[in-house]
Amino acid sequence: MRRTIYRISAGLCTLALVGLLMPIPKAYAGIGIGVAPDFPATVSAGSTNVPAGLDITNTSTPDIGPITLDTIFLTPQCGDSSVPCTSPDPGVFSVHTSGTGSGACSGITFTITTVDPATGRVSLTPSSVITLALGATCRINFLIDVLKLPTVDASAAAGIQTVQSGEVTSHDSLGLPGTGTGTDTVTVIQAQSTIVTTPSAGGPVGSTISDSATVTGLNPTGTVTFALFAPGDVSCANPVAISHNALVGGVALSDFFTATQVGTYNFTAVYGGDANNLPAVSGCGAETVVIGPASPTLSTITSVGTATVGAVVFDTAILSGAFNPTGTITFLLFAPSDPTCTSPIFTSSVPVAGNGSYTSGTTTLSQIGTYNFLAVYSGDSKNASISTNCGEEPITVSERPVSHTRPCIAVKFYSPRRLYLNPPTIVSKDAIFIGGINFNTPVAPSSKHVKMALNNSKGLLGALNQQFVAFQLGISIGSGGLSSPTT
């Protein structure tokens, strides 16, 4: 912008005062100052250390000659193009506190100070006097930070604009003042936010997995949408789970999800943006979580640990730590002659439907020695197979004891030389008395009892070292010989 200053060749002071009351004579010369803020045409909110400048040019008429700069002001942002600003919008830009000169003011430094917080207007004070020759340009270079998007749009053009205005005062060699102003317009766009994600570690099927996202930009707020894609969905087309989680301090944590399949899951994270930040997305395949099969445990217990030949036995297995298991548990029995468990003599399979206890069928043990049971879980698409080890389930089998069926007779003393059978019975002479001999109080004889006399010679009862000479119902055999039956 150029402003004309009138000069009077004579009586300058007097005419200048009179000029307040009467028309000023026609000017023949003037001071001109070109002012041009130089900001990038487009900047992103959140950008820092952005180069900017202010150009000041002596555009006076040839008769003016050099001019000396007096004051330099810059309003970095305004909601309109008026100078001074009538639609203030402070806080869009922050101008760094120092600048350097180039061109006609090369080597001069500038101190930049805020003089009007309401508009953000700053002054640029040079380290020495600046005199510009006719047509010379002084450029002041400085840095700006873009703090936010403008709240007042200074233009109807696409995007959000803000206006910068410069104001410079000067004087010529005669002391006549001059003023120049100029404006520039900048489009401020949302910050290009970035998102960095960290999914949880993998593990066996049934593990809980999650994702986290760190968003950078201009103080980002809002939410991150996390999506989980199952193994096989390599293009991330059909999420199996979604959660929307708020940013706190620039970080969002997803909900926890249970991995129900074996394979590679994919997370994606989408930041929706806010007033100052553009959206950001993590790509499909950038966040993988590998899930393997579960590793169940199998414990067993045999129905008996020791048995005799002919015993009927079975095995029980307890499956735990599996994830919704299916498949089968197969029980194997190995004979005493197969201590390394190579060829089972008995096999029993039962279907599996969940963790729990499963029992084999029964089998009969027919040999003396040590049998071994094994249990094998087949596994399925989500669970690894597992088996017990040979030797962990032994059953020791011994010979079956002989069972005697001869009669057991309790014998009681009735007199020093006589015995009575209790109860009265018919016995043969080769009867073996199994059980104890009771010497308690004798049982009174009944009308039908057996009276026995003992002979001091050989005896079938070793404990008495005596022999029953004869046994006959109703016949008494005394020490002197046979006697008649007793009634």
Side-chain angles (χ1 to χ4, degrees), residues 5 28 72 93 124 126 144 198 200 206 210 245 265 394 427 443 449:
I5 305 298
Y28 63 90
I72 306 170
F93 299 113
L124 297 89
I144 61 171
T198 305
S200 63
S210 62
N245 305 91
Y265 282 83
V427 295
V443 177
H449 65 276

Side-chain angles (χ1 to χ4, degrees), residues 315-327:
D315 196 15
T316 299
I318 301 172
L319 181 66
S320 59
F323 183 78
N324 298 330
T326 58

Side-chain angles (χ1 to χ4, degrees), residues 255-315:
D255 292 349
F256 288 96
F257 308 108
T258 299
T260 59
Q261 299 181 44
V262 173
T264 300
Y265 282 83
N266 277 284
F267 272 108
T268 61
V270 178
Y271 170 57
D274 60 14
N276 291 316
N277 297 277
L278 293 170
V281 180
S282 69
C284 181
E287 303 182 72
T288 59
V289 179
V290 178
I291 298 298
S295 299
T297 60
L298 191 66
S299 59
T300 53
I301 183 170
T302 55
S303 57
V304 293
T306 59
T308 58
V309 171
V312 176
V313 297
F314 58 88
D315 196 15

Side-chain angles (χ1 to χ4, degrees), residues 159-464:
I160 303 177
Q161 285 77 36
T162 188
V163 173
Q164 300 77 50
S165 62
E167 304 168 64
V168 178
T169 63
S170 66
H171 64 274
D172 64 4
S173 59
L174 297 177
L176 292 177
T179 300
T181 63
T183 61
D184 191 16
T185 301
V186 173
T187 298
V188 183
I189 63 175
Q190 291 169 294
Q192 181 55 67
S193 60
T194 60
I195 186 168
V196 177
T197 53
T198 305
S200 63
V205 65
S207 298
T208 55
I209 59 177
S210 62
D211 195 12
S212 68
T214 300
V215 178
T216 57
L218 181 56
N219 301 319
T221 60
T223 60
V224 174
T225 298
F226 296 94
L228 178 64
F229 301 87
D233 189 357
V234 295
S235 61
C236 300
N238 300 298
V240 295
I242 294 175
S243 69
H244 306 278
N245 305 91
L247 279 173
V248 179
V251 178
L253 302 176
S254 77
D255 292 349
F256 288 96
F257 308 108
T258 299
T260 59
Q261 299 181 44
V262 173
T264 300
Y265 282 83
N266 277 284
F267 272 108
T268 61
V270 178
Y271 170 57
D274 60 14
N276 291 316
N277 297 277
L278 293 170
V281 180
S282 69
C284 181
E287 303 182 72
T288 59
V289 179
V290 178
I291 298 298
S295 299
T297 60
L298 191 66
S299 59
T300 53
I301 183 170
T302 55
S303 57
V304 293
T306 59
T308 58
V309 171
V312 176
V313 297
F314 58 88
D315 196 15
T316 299
I318 301 172
L319 181 66
S320 59
F323 183 78
N324 298 330
T326 58
T328 59
I329 292 178
T330 299
F331 298 90
L332 307 171
L333 181 65
F334 300 88
S337 60
D338 188 3
T340 58
C341 303
T342 56
S343 301
I345 60 172
F346 169 77
T347 301
S348 174
S349 295
V350 294
V352 171
N355 291 308
S357 177
Y358 297 89
T359 300
S360 73
T362 59
T363 186
T364 301
L365 306 181
S366 59
Q367 302 177 42
I368 296 173
T370 300
Y371 288 79
N372 279 287
F373 260 118
L374 277 181
V376 180
Y377 170 55
S378 64
D380 57 21
S381 62
K382 299 177 182 178
N383 300 278
S385 61
I386 187 174
S387 69
T388 57
N389 297 316
C390 183
E392 290 181 347
E393 301 181 78
I395 299 177
T396 302
V397 179
S398 59
E399 184 178 7
R400 189 174 183 180
V402 177
S403 177
H404 299 282
T405 58
R406 296 182 178 183
C408 177
I409 302 174
V411 180
K412 298 180 181 246
F413 276 107
Y414 184 74
S415 68
R417 300 289 294 173
R418 296 182 178 225
L419 294 172
Y420 289 91
L421 295 177
N422 181 26
T425 185
I426 298 174
V427 295
S428 62
K429 64 180 180 179
D430 60 348
I432 298 176
F433 294 88
I434 302 172
I437 297 177
N438 190 342
F439 295 97
N440 295 330
T441 305
V443 177
S446 64
S447 60
K448 285 189 177 183
H449 65 276
V450 176
K451 185 187 300 179
M452 297 185 301
L454 296 177
N455 187 304
N456 286 327
S457 62
K458 298 179 180 179
L460 293 175
L461 295 177
L464 299 176

